[in-house]
Amino acid sequence: MKKKSLNVKKKVHKKLLLHLKNKRIKNNYIKFLKNINSVSNNSKFAAAVSGGPDSLALAFFLKCYSLETNKSCFFFMVNHNLRKGSNNEAIKVQKKLKNYDINLKIINWVGKKPKSNIQAVARKYRYRLIRNQLEKNKIKVAMFGHTNEDIIENFIIRLTRGSSIDGLVSFNNTVLNTNEFFKISRPLINLNKKDLIYISKKVFNFYIDDPSNLNINFKRVRIRKIIKDLITEGLDLSKINLLIKNLTTSNNALTYYSNQTISNFCHFKNNNKLAIVNLSILHEPKEILFRFLSKILKIVSGNYYPSRGKKIMHLIKLLEDPKFKKTTLSGCILEKESNTLLIKEEKSKI
């Protein structure tokens, strides 16, 4: 690198780090550092950037962290191409971050787009496309800009669906093990959205307002409005957070025992693309069996989201039937051989 370019880059880095002297920004950065403590021994990190204030604040924090620790950081943005102007927005975000020596890679989602359940399908492909980049670059930790508001929204949405305890608290984890290859980190999970908006404006003087966040055709947008209305009527969000915290404690105990069953009843081969399950697992309590199968399917398929609860319960009924031989679920093929269940990955669709 030429000396002039190097000097310019040093000035940009110095300007970025100077923002940490701001008390409000510094306090949030300290929370960020505490939240990544369990994954800080990794040498590579990635951030999923959308252009919104949450993800831009995350990009800023991760860039500062990389400058302070000399660790490698990657920044990815998935352009779903679901609405007019999304490509221009992605390029705009890319150019803006480039001014701060944050090199953003845009990943375009090509192919047929969904006509229903759009947001859920888009999230699924977003994680899958980012996962491909993680594997390509041998990155072990991917960071997403989920906040406390996302936890509460997700809790209410899952409540309306009658989700299990695992589903209700699924967002309330700072670090989530998706499979044996990488982890999802949510270092902004206990940060306030107002602070993140402040940080994005202060550092970048910029963020994207996604018009879909105002589209009441999407359930998440309607739930967000309901929460605001309930707050106006006196809803105390701290009580919701306390409830989620208590449920999380109970869920952690169940998770611990379900993980024990994986050690006792299953072993993996072919880089976790094949699971060999002892069907004696069927004698375990239903909740433990449910979690066992859900996690095995996630590990083998590499999916970010687990299978729907109804599908897992249907699978359990199939496995309990002596006539069961073979089925597919969650991108996996499940085949019975004597008292053994073989679970292997179907061919990737991407």
Side-chain angles (χ1 to χ4, degrees), residues 42 131 135 139-141 176-183 259 262 268-269 271-273 295-296 298-303:
N42 287 271
R131 183 191 71 191
E135 293 177 350
I139 303 168
K140 300 292 185 181
V141 180
L176 179 68
N177 291 301
T178 59
N179 52 36
E180 295 299 315
F181 180 74
F182 70 95
K183 296 179 179 180
N259 286 341
I262 291 178
F268 296 94
K269 297 181 72 175
N271 294 321
N272 296 336
K273 299 304 180 185
K295 186 163 186 178
I296 297 298
K298 271 189 71 175
I299 291 173
V300 174
S301 68
N303 291 338

Side-chain angles (χ1 to χ4, degrees), residues 197-260:
I197 291 173
Y198 170 82
I199 292 166
S200 294
K201 286 182 176 179
K202 194 74 175 175
V203 175
F204 301 111
N205 192 30
F206 166 86
Y207 64 82
I208 294 290
D209 272 321
D210 186 345
S212 65
N213 288 330
L214 300 175
N215 189 343
I216 60 171
N217 290 324
F218 296 128
K219 184 170 186 175
R220 185 171 293 274
V221 176
R222 298 195 299 273
I223 291 294
R224 192 171 297 149
K225 183 180 182 305
I226 290 171
I227 293 171
K228 287 181 179 179
D229 291 341
L230 288 173
I231 291 173
T232 303
E233 294 297 326
L235 175 67
D236 187 349
L237 291 185
S238 66
K239 298 294 177 62
I240 300 292
N241 280 316
L242 180 60
L243 171 61
I244 295 172
K245 182 179 179 181
N246 290 336
L247 288 173
T248 300
T249 300
S250 299
N251 186 59
N252 289 342
L254 289 168
T255 299
Y256 172 80
Y257 286 107
S258 64
N259 286 341
Q260 290 293 101

Side-chain angles (χ1 to χ4, degrees), residues 23-206:
K23 187 175 180 180
R24 187 173 179 181
I25 295 177
K26 183 179 180 181
N27 287 340
N28 282 278
Y29 184 62
I30 290 171
K31 290 180 182 179
F32 165 83
L33 293 177
K34 286 181 179 178
N35 288 341
I36 65 169
N37 183 55
S38 62
V39 293
S40 60
N41 60 330
N42 287 271
S43 60
K44 288 183 178 181
F45 297 86
V49 178
S50 66
D54 305 344
S55 70
L56 289 181
L58 173 62
F60 164 67
F61 283 157
L62 188 56
K63 183 64 180 181
C64 290
Y65 180 70
S66 71
L67 294 174
E68 291 180 337
T69 61
N70 201 32
K71 293 186 177 182
S72 298
C73 294
F74 297 74
F75 302 87
F76 301 117
M77 181 177 187
V78 174
N79 175 26
H80 295 95
N81 287 302
L82 288 171
R83 56 184 174 80
K84 188 177 180 180
S86 66
N87 189 56
N88 290 335
E89 282 182 3
I91 293 172
K92 188 175 181 180
V93 174
Q94 185 184 53
K95 287 180 177 178
K96 190 71 175 180
L97 293 183
K98 183 69 176 177
N99 294 333
Y100 297 86
D101 192 36
I102 298 175
N103 297 310
L104 179 68
K105 179 175 182 179
I106 298 172
I107 311 164
N108 289 295
W109 176 18
V110 296
K112 190 176 180 180
K113 303 298 186 291
K115 293 182 179 179
S116 61
N117 204 21
I118 295 172
Q119 287 194 323
V121 175
R123 280 193 296 272
K124 178 181 176 182
Y125 273 87
R126 181 189 185 204
Y127 286 113
R128 189 177 294 179
L129 290 167
I130 289 176
R131 183 191 71 191
N132 290 345
Q133 293 297 319
L134 298 179
E135 293 177 350
K136 181 180 178 180
N137 293 283
K138 298 181 179 179
I139 303 168
K140 300 292 185 181
V141 180
M143 295 185 182
F144 288 80
H146 298 133
T147 64
N148 182 250
E149 284 86 347
D150 294 312
I151 292 178
I152 294 174
E153 285 174 13
N154 195 68
F155 176 79
I156 301 296
I157 289 171
R158 296 298 178 89
L159 199 62
T160 65
R161 293 175 179 166
S163 294
S164 66
I165 183 174
D166 192 41
L168 290 172
V169 302
S170 62
F171 250 49
N172 194 33
N173 292 310
T174 304
V175 177
L176 179 68
N177 291 301
T178 59
N179 52 36
E180 295 299 315
F181 180 74
F182 70 95
K183 296 179 179 180
I184 293 293
S185 175
R186 297 170 176 145
L188 310 183
I189 208 75
N190 56 351
L191 275 65
N192 189 292
K193 193 174 188 72
K194 289 181 180 179
D195 287 335
L196 300 175
I197 291 173
Y198 170 82
I199 292 166
S200 294
K201 286 182 176 179
K202 194 74 175 175
V203 175
F204 301 111
N205 192 30
F206 166 86

